[in-house]
Amino acid sequence: GEDVEQSLFLSVREGDSSVINCTYTDSSSTYLYWYKQEPGAGLQLLTYIFSNMDMKQDQRLTVLLNKKDKHLSLRIADTQTGDSAIYFCAETTVFRYKLSFGAGTTVTVRA
Amino acid sequence: ETGVTQTPRHLVMGMTNKKSLKCEQHLGHNAMYWYKQSAKKPLELMFVYNFKEQTENNSVPSRFSPECPNSSHLFLHLHTLQPEDSALYLCASSQEGQGGLGSPLHFGNGTRLTVT
């Protein structure tokens, strides 16, 4: 199957780190993505990782991939109020051209 | 400005109405998509068009009818909808294919549809 699962909610204090977790079922997943959806807007590609990588860092964002456990995480350092949004995990393979999305994790940043 | 524009932003319609959602992309992409976003559910792919040809119909009920007159425009015609069809309908485009790294999805801001 192509299921992607995420926890639905995360609350974090401003300035702390946020960690959003995602699990997927397709062991042949090749590309894994994080999309961000701000209120009233569509999804924006935030970052991505290839399956041959374990980690990718991009400024405040760190993506960790554990292929054995089929687990993907997104860490946001020094979380700001502007980081409040819904974060979607997505994956696909070179054979299955469709993207499979999770249900999204709503991140709320409190002062 | 997202490069993908959807109209209207909000739509309320009765179950017997006929309405259309419109999507336009200014990115020179060749593939366009309709997604349905319901609360607490994974994003559902509905239709895919590649170079104006429909390449995916993800078991969508016939009360939803897509139309892609050219690579820049995509419509979703709605008729005799049900209350459970209320959702955010997102249009997306990509250079080609779907979702590969060389061809990421660009989304519009969506149409919030309420069926009464």
Side-chain angles (χ1 to χ4, degrees):
Chain A
E2 306 150 14
D3 292 336
V4 177
E5 292 190 355
Q6 309 175 234
S7 53
L8 291 179
F9 301 100
L10 176 67
S11 178
V12 63
R13 191 177 306 171
E14 189 176 9
D16 288 352
S17 292
S18 311
V19 179
I20 308 166
N21 294 301
C22 169
T23 57
Y24 57 96
T25 58
D26 192 341
S27 57
S28 60
S29 294
T30 309
Y31 306 106
L32 298 115
Y33 307 86
W34 285 104
Y35 280 82
K36 177 183 180 182
Q37 184 181 33
E38 296 182 353
L43 280 68
Q44 286 183 294
L45 180 62
L46 201 57
T47 188
Y48 61 90
I49 191 168
F50 291 121
S51 59
N52 61 355
M53 300 164 67
D54 297 324
M55 185 183 87
K56 179 179 178 183
Q57 189 151 1
D58 183 1
Q59 299 182 330
R60 292 190 298 121
L61 305 178
T62 303
V63 180
L64 293 178
L65 175 61
N66 181 326
K67 279 195 71 176
K68 175 176 171 291
D69 294 338
K70 302 191 198 66
H71 182 266
L72 182 74
S73 68
L74 174 68
R75 178 177 178 269
I76 306 173
D78 187 25
T79 310
Q80 303 298 307
T81 54
D83 295 323
S84 292
I86 305 175
Y87 292 81
F88 290 88
C89 172
E91 59 85 32
T92 190
T93 73
V94 292
F95 306 108
R96 170 175 46 87
Y97 64 93
K98 299 197 302 186
L99 271 178
S100 291
F101 283 88
T105 299
T106 300
V107 173
T108 303
V109 181
R110 59 187 193 277
Chain B
E1 177 62 48
T2 65
V4 179
T5 305
Q6 289 187 244
T7 54
R9 289 300 307 273
H10 301 273
L11 178 62
V12 179
M13 59 186 288
M15 288 190 283
T16 58
N17 291 160
K18 289 185 180 181
K19 296 285 184 184
S20 296
L21 310 186
K22 180 182 175 183
C23 177
E24 184 174 359
Q25 58 97 0
H26 311 276
L27 301 168
H29 289 165
N30 296 310
M32 296 188 78
Y33 316 82
W34 281 116
Y35 280 88
K36 177 182 178 182
Q37 183 179 5
S38 304
K40 301 177 187 177
K41 290 185 179 179
L43 223 58
E44 295 175 51
L45 177 63
M46 299 175 72
F47 301 104
V48 181
Y49 279 83
N50 243 322
F51 294 93
K52 302 187 298 179
E53 297 297 320
Q54 188 179 127
T55 56
E56 180 97 15
N57 177 338
N58 213 20
S59 303
V60 180
S62 59
R63 57 185 184 270
F64 294 91
S65 174
E67 179 190 359
C68 188
N70 54 61
S71 294
S72 299
H73 294 86
L74 185 65
F75 296 89
L76 188 63
H77 303 300
L78 316 171
H79 63 98
T80 58
L81 294 192
Q82 305 298 311
E84 59 265 29
D85 297 322
S86 298
L88 180 68
Y89 288 85
L90 291 165
C91 173
S93 70
S94 67
Q95 184 61 39
E96 59 182 283
Q98 184 186 175
L101 185 59
S103 185
L105 294 174
H106 293 254
F107 284 86
N109 289 334
T111 295
R112 174 68 63 186
L113 174 67
T114 303
V115 181
T116 60

